[in-house]
């Protein structure tokens, strides 16, 4: 976990001072080539701290999360930290902040590959600027590709800080500056013009008819069930089986794999991430589901973790090999699925 501390003048509310309620705030600084030439040990070209609403870039938006907040509890804020390195690499991470006496403490949801020891930042208001003190040896941030492609919470790479990457003074910037950084960050991996998976789930969960409350995904380009080595996939979800709150943050698909006359039933349980869903594929432990299987031993199964991303007309499963019928290759691949009528999943289960 990554801890940050924010302090401000005594008597004020640090969190409200740095990130006013109901107002997107952008702190940042960009260093030009002349400055970097004078500071060869500084790896940071730009640094931003933002609470600007990221809207459609996210799976679950800031407004959706705000609906879950209890107004009787102390206020929390989840700013995004962005760091652009000299190499052009753009790193980022969400942090969750709340007031603690005269300071504000923030916790990151990601791990850092430095012996898993906490990495710390300290924010201090200095006049009209925000001073950021970095106390760790590596950035507690990750690339978007790392966030999306890796199922766990660790970084594939740790990015070391230079001797001059310790103290920064950030200015208040127009919200559009941080919004543009967010678009560059998310757009490198996610087509933010497409509707989120969350929006599809929420629409089904609030529907009035049983047909509209059920969702079905079918694999794209899978071979006919009478031939080929790649199982055809059907993922079924009945949203009315859940007692969801206002915001949907986890769900489980019933997965049907069909290969010729064989059929194997399993489950895919997904939990929300910033831009995608983290999913665990497991063989079912339901006796009734096991009874519904037909020669399931012909379809290889094992526990796998991966991601579920938005895609045109459906979703993309990333990081799975056995689910795609490529257990022997053990090479995680992308599996494209499209939204179809729930009756297709019901037929595949008969």
């Amino acid at each position: 976990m990554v801890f940050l501390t924010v302090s401000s003048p005594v008597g004020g509310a640090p969190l409200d001072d740095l990130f006013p309620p109901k107002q997107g705030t952008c702190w940042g600084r960009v260093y030009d080539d002349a400055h970097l030439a004078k500071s060869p040990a500084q790896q940071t070209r730009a640094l931003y701290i933002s609470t600007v609403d990221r809207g459609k870039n996210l799976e679950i938006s800031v407004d959706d999360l705000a609906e879950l907040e209890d107004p009787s509890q102390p206020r929390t804020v989840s700013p995004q930290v962005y760091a652009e390195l000299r190499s052009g690499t753009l790193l980022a991470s969400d942090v969750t902040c709340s007031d603690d006496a005269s300071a504000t403490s923030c916790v990151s949801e990601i791990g850092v590959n430095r012996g898993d020891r906490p990495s710390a930042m300290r924010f201090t208001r200095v006049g009209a600027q925000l001073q950021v003190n970095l106390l760790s040896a590596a950035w507690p941030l990750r690339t978007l590709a790392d966030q999306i492609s890796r199922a766990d919470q660790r970084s594939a790479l740790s990015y070391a800080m230079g001797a001059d990457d310790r103290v920064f003074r950030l200015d208040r910037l127009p919200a559009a500056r941080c919004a543009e950084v967010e678009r560059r960050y998310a757009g490198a991996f996610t087509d933010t013009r497409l509707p989120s998976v969350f929006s599809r789930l929420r629409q089904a969960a609030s529907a009035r008819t049983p047909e509209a409350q059920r969702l079905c995904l079918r694999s794209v380009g899978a071979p006919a069930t009478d031939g080929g080595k790649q199982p055809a996939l059907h993922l079924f979800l009945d949203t009315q089986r859940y007692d969801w709150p206002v915001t949907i943050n986890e769900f489980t698909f019933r997965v049907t794999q069909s290969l010729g006359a064989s059929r194997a039933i399993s489950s895919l349980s997904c939990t929300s991430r910033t831009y995608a869903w983290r999913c665990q594929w497991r063989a079912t432990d339901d006796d009734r589901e096991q009874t519904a299987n037909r020669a399931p031993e012909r379809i290889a199964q094992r526990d796998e973790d991966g991601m579920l991303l938005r895609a045109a007309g459906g979703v993309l499963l990333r990081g799975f090999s056995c689910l795609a019928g490529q257990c022997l290759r053990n090479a995680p691949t992308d599996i494209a699925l499209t939204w179809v009528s729930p009756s297709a999943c019901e037929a595949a289960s008969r």
Side-chain angles (χ1 to χ4, degrees), residues 24 37 49 53 76 82 96-97 114 120 123 125 138 140 165 176 189 246 248 293-294 338:
I49 312 291
D53 184 11
T76 61
Y82 302 97
T96 302
C97 306
R114 287 279 169 159
F123 293 0
R125 185 67 179 268
D165 295 301
F189 215 94
V246 175
I248 302 163
N293 287 352
R294 294 195 301 263
T338 185

Side-chain angles (χ1 to χ4, degrees), residues 2 91-93 108-114 116 138-143 145-147 149-159 273:
V2 181
L91 307 175
S93 171
S108 172
E109 297 178 355
I110 68 171
V112 179
N113 277 359
R114 287 279 169 159
D116 290 333
W139 282 102
L141 311 174
R142 300 194 298 174
T143 64
D146 204 11
Q147 285 201 42
S149 62
R150 293 176 62 85
D152 60 23
Q153 296 280 24
R154 306 178 190 277
S155 297
L157 296 172
S158 59
Y159 293 87
R273 296 282 291 275

Side-chain angles (χ1 to χ4, degrees), residues 50-72:
S50 170
T51 56
V52 175
D53 184 11
R54 290 171 279 164
K56 295 181 180 179
N57 295 341
L58 301 178
E59 269 300 315
I60 299 180
S61 73
V62 173
D63 288 341
D64 296 323
L65 292 174
E67 292 183 12
L68 294 178
E69 292 184 359
D70 185 346
S72 65

Side-chain angles (χ1 to χ4, degrees), residues 25-26 48-55 57 82 173-187:
T25 305
C26 178
Y48 300 90
I49 312 291
S50 170
T51 56
V52 175
D53 184 11
R54 290 171 279 164
N57 295 341
Y82 302 97
L173 301 177
R177 291 284 297 279
C178 284
E180 189 276 331
V181 174
E182 169 66 23
R183 282 193 294 271
R184 281 201 292 134
Y185 185 72

Side-chain angles (χ1 to χ4, degrees), residues 92-106:
S93 171
D94 282 317
V95 293
T96 302
C97 306
S98 59
D99 278 338
D100 181 11
S102 61
T104 297
S105 298
C106 307

Side-chain angles (χ1 to χ4, degrees), residues 26-350:
C26 178
W27 297 94
R29 170 154 291 190
V30 179
Y31 296 94
D32 58 24
D33 292 338
H35 173 91
L36 295 175
K38 295 176 182 178
S39 306
Q42 179 177 326
Q43 300 300 315
T44 309
R45 180 175 293 276
L47 183 66
Y48 300 90
I49 312 291
S50 170
T51 56
V52 175
D53 184 11
R54 290 171 279 164
K56 295 181 180 179
N57 295 341
L58 301 178
E59 269 300 315
I60 299 180
S61 73
V62 173
D63 288 341
D64 296 323
L65 292 174
E67 292 183 12
L68 294 178
E69 292 184 359
D70 185 346
S72 65
Q73 298 299 314
R75 180 180 176 232
T76 61
V77 173
S78 297
Q80 186 85 340
V81 182
Y82 302 97
E84 182 179 354
L85 307 185
R86 282 179 185 253
S87 62
T89 300
L90 187 60
L91 307 175
S93 171
D94 282 317
V95 293
T96 302
C97 306
S98 59
D99 278 338
D100 181 11
S102 61
T104 297
S105 298
C106 307
V107 181
S108 172
E109 297 178 355
I110 68 171
V112 179
N113 277 359
R114 287 279 169 159
D116 290 333
R117 292 173 298 184
S119 298
M121 294 184 182
R122 185 166 55 247
F123 293 0
T124 307
R125 185 67 179 268
V126 180
Q129 294 182 314
L130 174 66
Q131 179 167 307
V132 180
N133 292 76
L134 303 176
L135 309 179
S136 58
W139 282 102
L141 311 174
R142 300 194 298 174
T143 64
L144 177 62
D146 204 11
Q147 285 201 42
I148 297 298
S149 62
R150 293 176 62 85
D152 60 23
Q153 296 280 24
R154 306 178 190 277
S155 297
L157 296 172
S158 59
Y159 293 87
M161 296 176 183
D164 293 338
D165 295 301
R166 297 299 176 188
V167 180
F168 300 90
R169 290 284 184 92
L170 307 185
D171 299 315
R172 283 288 295 267
L173 301 177
R177 291 284 297 279
C178 284
E180 189 276 331
V181 174
E182 169 66 23
R183 282 193 294 271
R184 281 201 292 134
Y185 185 72
F189 215 94
T190 302
D191 189 344
T192 57
R193 296 168 298 180
L194 297 174
S196 65
V197 176
F198 168 79
S199 64
R200 187 86 184 216
L201 296 173
R202 191 173 191 178
Q203 181 181 10
S206 60
R208 296 187 177 184
T209 65
E211 176 77 5
Q213 293 165 352
R214 299 192 296 268
L215 295 172
C216 178
L217 286 162
R218 181 179 62 197
S219 51
V220 176
T225 56
D226 59 349
K229 297 182 179 180
Q230 180 181 345
L233 302 179
H234 288 82
L235 277 60
F236 178 75
L237 176 66
D238 184 352
T239 61
Q240 296 309 297
R241 294 182 59 185
Y242 292 83
D243 184 19
W244 272 319
V246 175
T247 292
I248 302 163
N249 55 16
E250 59 184 8
F251 57 86
T252 299
F253 280 113
R254 180 183 192 265
V255 180
T256 302
Q257 295 172 280
S258 303
L259 185 64
S262 301
R263 180 175 66 198
I265 307 298
S266 54
S267 66
L268 187 73
S269 299
C270 303
T271 304
S272 64
R273 296 282 291 275
T274 305
Y275 303 97
W277 298 79
R278 177 186 178 183
C279 299
Q280 297 179 321
W281 179 48
R282 304 290 185 262
T284 181
D285 57 2
D286 189 310
D287 292 339
R288 291 172 298 177
E289 297 284 33
Q290 293 286 8
T291 303
N293 287 352
R294 294 195 301 263
E297 66 278 358
R298 291 192 60 232
I299 303 175
Q301 289 189 308
R302 69 172 180 225
D303 292 352
E304 287 187 316
D305 294 346
M307 306 299 296
L308 183 146
L309 309 169
R310 69 184 80 176
V315 302
L316 197 69
L317 286 173
R318 171 156 295 161
F320 297 94
S321 55
C322 201
L323 184 57
Q326 300 181 28
C327 285
L328 295 180
R329 289 183 57 191
N330 197 30
T333 186
D334 287 349
I335 306 172
L337 301 106
T338 185
W339 298 108
V340 295
S341 169
S343 60
C345 281
E346 294 166 359
S349 300
R350 296 193 188 105

